[in-house]
Amino acid sequence: MFRIPAAERSAATRMGIPQALLDQFPATTEGTALSRSSGYYAPRIGLRAAPELYDALRVIDRRSDRPAPALRRALVENLHNVYAAVAYTVWEHLTDQVRTSGVDEKVLDSLLEAGTRLSADLAGTAPRGWTEEPLPDLAPFSSLASLRVFRELDSQAKLHDELDFLLTHVIDEYPEITSVVVPLYGSFSLGLAARAILPVARPHRKLSVHLIRLGFHDLSTVDYKRTDGTIRSELVGPPEQRERLAADVHGAHVLVVDDNVGYGTTLRAARTLIGQLGGRALTRSVETAWHLYSRDGRHDVADAADLPSLRPNLHHRIQDRLIGHLLRGDADAYADDSAHAVRSTLHQQMRTSYDMALGLGTLAPRQLRAMRAELAHAVLNWREPPVPPAPVTLSGRRAA
């Protein structure tokens, strides 16, 4: 989330961008527009407005002076979110063999490519003039039963910091890695950004990026595990996606990256799946629930994440509260929320996480070395905001 100066909104109006569109998507607080509003978190609104959003983006791009950079980025973020929402729903329909008129894997590929293109733009790696090319028409998907939104690791800065770290401290240090696997649904935006950034950043490497639907919190209704502990691979993606995954993973070293790790069930299941396909997995968490492990001896990350991040995890209750402000159209409440007033820095939080990790006594020396390397890298390179602490329950403990 970021602010859009009033001068940019005025410039957009002068360029002919409809005022109704500017009023609907940026949320206004204290005379300044925020990049996300209820339209961002209600994807059906975004789906209907996608042609107008893309037209507005093109209007800005056809100006040589690029007069509204913050507004332009907000338009791309909103388009990215709605294409990701539609692509994920189509992914689920094709995986679960839900009959949807006009939907096949070619359609899914086009939606994923659109999401990847928008991710490349957000990362600054898209070719100039790419917006002259059309994006897939979303009108045929207006009848989809459900659309989900994505938290994008709370900020594009965090997402790109993570991918930069993976390139320099994981992919470069493990040259045997040839594939990256990202579990859905929560990590979908991370997966699209990985598709856009990783192969381009290391063109000399054979490096494929795959998405799999695998999760045990948001996707708790899906019965992934057989009684013998193996994973039902037919549930992780549509047939052609599974075939590509199996071909690239067999006999390969695979990096599995999950955005938010609590109990570690998803990473353990992903490691099992990669093993079933004949590969070997190296697992990574982008956010880690260190407070959960430090207070609860029943749960640990040591056997789930080979490379656990020291970033604390953003609690889902805080995320829901912040989104709730915007869905109610209360941008002032969003701006004034205590989640934006954390006094410590992310680096201080990561140092605290490292102390908690040492206190667990379960992490191997190689895991601790990797965490120290991450902390050193973060101090030099990461400018992410701190993570709001988990809410405190009536017992005085942090919520799980």
Side-chain angles (χ1 to χ4, degrees):
M1 180 75 77
F2 52 89
R3 293 179 181 268
I4 303 170
E8 290 196 16
R9 287 169 58 87
S10 298
T13 301
R14 291 193 300 271
M15 285 186 283
I17 295 175
Q19 187 64 47
L21 186 72
L22 296 173
D23 291 339
Q24 184 176 34
F25 279 87
T28 303
T29 175
E30 299 173 1
T32 302
L34 301 177
S35 59
R36 301 177 188 175
S37 66
S38 59
Y40 183 94
Y41 293 106
R44 288 199 176 282
I45 297 175
L47 190 153
R48 291 192 296 269
E52 290 182 274
L53 291 168
Y54 198 40
D55 286 344
L57 178 61
R58 285 170 152 175
V59 167
I60 295 174
D61 281 1
R62 287 168 182 162
R63 291 281 298 265
S64 59
D65 55 346
R66 292 288 182 93
L71 176 60
R72 183 192 183 281
R73 186 174 181 85
L75 292 170
V76 175
E77 278 204 3
N78 280 273
L79 282 165
H80 174 275
N81 192 61
V82 71
Y83 273 92
V86 174
Y88 179 76
T89 301
V90 170
W91 182 291
E92 281 207 318
H93 282 216
L94 293 173
T95 301
D96 298 333
Q97 299 181 344
V98 176
R99 291 188 177 183
T100 306
S101 177
V103 171
D104 57 25
E105 293 211 38
K106 288 183 180 179
V107 170
L108 175 61
D109 285 340
S110 71
L111 292 168
L112 293 174
E113 179 56 32
T116 302
R117 246 192 291 172
L118 290 159
S119 291
D121 190 282
L122 292 169
T125 61
R128 193 174 182 87
W130 75 266
T131 53
E132 291 304 314
E133 302 174 11
L135 289 176
D137 181 14
L138 297 182
F141 306 104
S142 59
S143 62
L144 290 176
S146 62
L147 293 169
R148 305 181 81 162
V149 295
F150 304 88
R151 43 191 293 257
E152 297 183 62
L153 299 177
D154 320 313
S155 74
Q156 286 288 322
K158 183 183 289 188
L159 190 154
H160 296 141
D161 281 349
E162 175 63 20
L163 292 176
D164 178 64
F165 173 78
L166 292 179
L167 282 165
T168 56
H169 287 277
V170 182
I171 290 171
D172 287 351
E173 292 186 11
Y174 293 84
E176 64 273 20
I177 291 175
T178 57
S179 290
V180 178
V181 170
V182 183
L184 311 179
Y185 112 92
S187 303
F188 201 6
S189 291
L190 174 63
L192 292 174
R195 282 168 50 109
I197 295 170
L198 298 184
V200 175
R202 296 296 183 268
H204 61 285
R205 289 277 295 272
K206 178 184 181 295
L207 199 61
S208 60
V209 178
H210 296 275
L211 310 175
I212 58 173
R213 185 187 67 169
L214 186 64
F216 296 86
H217 177 62
D218 295 307
L219 299 172
S220 59
T221 58
V222 182
D223 188 13
Y224 289 103
K225 288 187 178 181
R226 298 188 181 93
T227 55
D228 62 358
T230 58
I231 303 300
R232 298 172 62 192
S233 60
E234 69 274 12
L235 297 180
V236 304
E240 291 180 17
Q241 297 286 337
R242 298 200 307 268
E243 289 173 10
R244 296 172 200 165
L245 172 69
D248 282 350
V249 163
H250 185 76
H253 287 75
V254 180
L255 174 63
V256 180
V257 187
D258 193 11
D259 71 326
N260 190 328
V261 174
Y263 300 132
T265 313
T266 299
L267 279 182
R268 293 185 190 95
R271 181 187 287 129
T272 299
L273 174 66
I274 298 303
Q276 288 174 208
L277 297 175
R280 182 174 179 180
L282 180 73
T283 55
R284 160 77 175 170
S285 63
V286 180
E287 295 178 354
T288 316
W290 294 108
H291 284 281
L292 170 67
Y293 313 137
S294 67
R295 72 163 192 263
D296 186 346
R298 295 176 300 148
H299 299 105
D300 195 0
V301 74
D303 68 333
D306 299 311
L307 302 171
S309 175
L310 290 171
R311 281 188 194 90
N313 66 316
L314 178 67
H315 196 273
H316 63 88
R317 290 187 191 173
I318 296 174
Q319 182 76 8
D320 291 344
R321 188 178 76 218
L322 292 172
I323 292 174
H325 296 321
L326 296 174
L327 287 174
R328 290 190 299 273
D330 194 345
D332 289 327
Y334 177 91
D336 295 337
D337 193 283
S338 60
H340 303 305
V342 182
R343 293 183 179 179
S344 61
T345 66
L346 175 68
H347 307 141
Q348 291 169 334
Q349 291 178 330
M350 293 175 71
R351 290 187 180 97
T352 300
S353 296
Y354 185 74
D355 290 340
M356 291 180 181
L358 287 176
L360 294 175
T362 57
L363 289 127
R366 60 179 175 77
Q367 290 173 303
L368 295 172
R369 283 195 301 271
M371 292 157 70
R372 290 193 295 271
E374 180 198 42
L375 180 57
H377 178 92
V379 169
L380 291 175
N381 299 285
W382 291 357
R383 297 297 176 263
E384 302 166 25
V387 178
V392 177
T393 65
L394 293 176
S395 66
R397 291 185 170 188
R398 298 289 181 192

